[in-house]
Amino acid sequence: MKTKTLNQILTILIAVFLTNMYSGQAEKKQTETNSEEITINEKNQGKIVQDLLEAFNLGAENVLELFDEGAIIEYPYAYSLGTPSSLNKTQYGDYLKGALSNMPDIAFSQVKSYITENHIVWAEFHGEVIIPSTKQLYKQDYVARIILKKGKIIHYKEYWNPMAVSAMGDHKEVNKMFNDKSKQ
């Protein structure tokens, strides 16, 4: 009886050991898979910043392709220049036509992306361009928060220095550049 009980206990211990060993390997494999998925996802999220900056020199339609149909675009400091501070995707397309025609071939540098949880990407970048109408150098440092949904931008909020915009002209000229319907 003692041998039979000992064999049963030994069998149970072996079963528990094997179960723990295999479930530990399964958990490790699951963790590795999730890590790979996160890494791939983070690469795609970080790439959105580079894609967006490149699209600014390719035209409004290229920029808009990166945005979800329900996207909201915000420029918190734009109101100080008399330009819209919150736009939907259609309004943003009109806005871009004026903006991009006044900033042809803008050069971006010092690009940094910070990926956080919940599909949020923070970006810092520097932009420079000669404004055709004033022949002045426009230099700007930007900070942007980008929220993604299924690989598309659903919310874009860009912070910049309104004082740097003075290279584009006075308040009236800037307002016309970004709100001029003839350029849209």
Side-chain angles (χ1 to χ4, degrees):
M1 182 113 159
K2 289 182 182 180
T3 306
K4 188 173 182 185
T5 304
L6 188 58
N7 284 343
Q8 289 174 338
I9 292 172
L10 190 56
T11 302
I12 292 170
L13 288 174
I14 291 172
V16 168
F17 171 77
L18 291 174
T19 301
N20 286 339
M21 185 178 81
Y22 286 114
S23 76
Q25 286 178 348
E27 285 176 15
K28 184 178 177 185
K29 185 173 176 107
Q30 182 65 35
T31 302
E32 288 171 1
T33 302
N34 288 342
S35 295
E36 289 170 10
E37 289 171 4
I38 289 168
T39 302
I40 291 167
N41 196 16
E42 285 179 354
K43 284 180 186 173
N44 290 341
Q45 288 179 10
K47 189 175 180 318
I48 194 74
V49 173
Q50 195 61 43
D51 291 347
L52 181 62
L53 296 179
E54 288 173 8
F56 283 130
N57 285 317
L58 300 174
E61 292 303 316
N62 291 66
V63 174
L64 293 174
E65 286 178 11
L66 301 171
F67 286 79
D68 182 83
E69 288 306 313
I72 299 296
I73 297 85
E74 291 184 90
Y75 298 111
Y77 304 127
Y79 70 90
S80 68
L81 301 172
T83 62
S85 59
S86 183
L87 308 161
N88 63 33
K89 185 176 177 180
T90 302
Q91 294 166 326
Y92 187 49
D94 292 339
Y95 178 87
L96 282 173
K97 290 174 187 169
L100 297 179
S101 67
N102 288 291
M103 297 189 296
D105 301 318
I106 187 166
F108 293 104
S109 62
Q110 303 168 28
V111 179
K112 298 176 188 165
S113 298
Y114 308 92
I115 294 125
T116 65
E117 55 191 47
N118 300 324
H119 308 284
I120 298 173
V121 178
W122 284 91
E124 295 177 78
F125 46 94
H126 177 80
E128 291 189 17
V129 64
I130 300 291
I131 302 300
S133 60
T134 64
K135 306 293 186 238
Q136 296 293 313
L137 176 63
Y138 168 70
K139 294 165 92 174
Q140 185 67 266
D141 290 311
Y142 302 88
V143 174
R145 186 188 73 188
I146 303 166
I147 301 175
L148 300 171
K149 178 182 176 184
K150 296 181 182 175
K152 297 279 187 174
I153 299 170
I154 189 73
H155 190 223
Y156 181 79
K157 192 170 193 175
E158 184 182 278
Y159 299 89
W160 38 264
N161 179 0
M163 297 302 290
V165 179
S166 63
M168 293 182 177
D170 65 22
H171 183 81
K172 196 177 214 178
E173 289 173 294
V174 170
N175 191 302
K176 186 175 183 198
M177 285 180 191
F178 292 98
N179 296 311
D180 187 358
K181 300 295 182 202
S182 68
K183 294 189 183 212
Q184 300 171 11

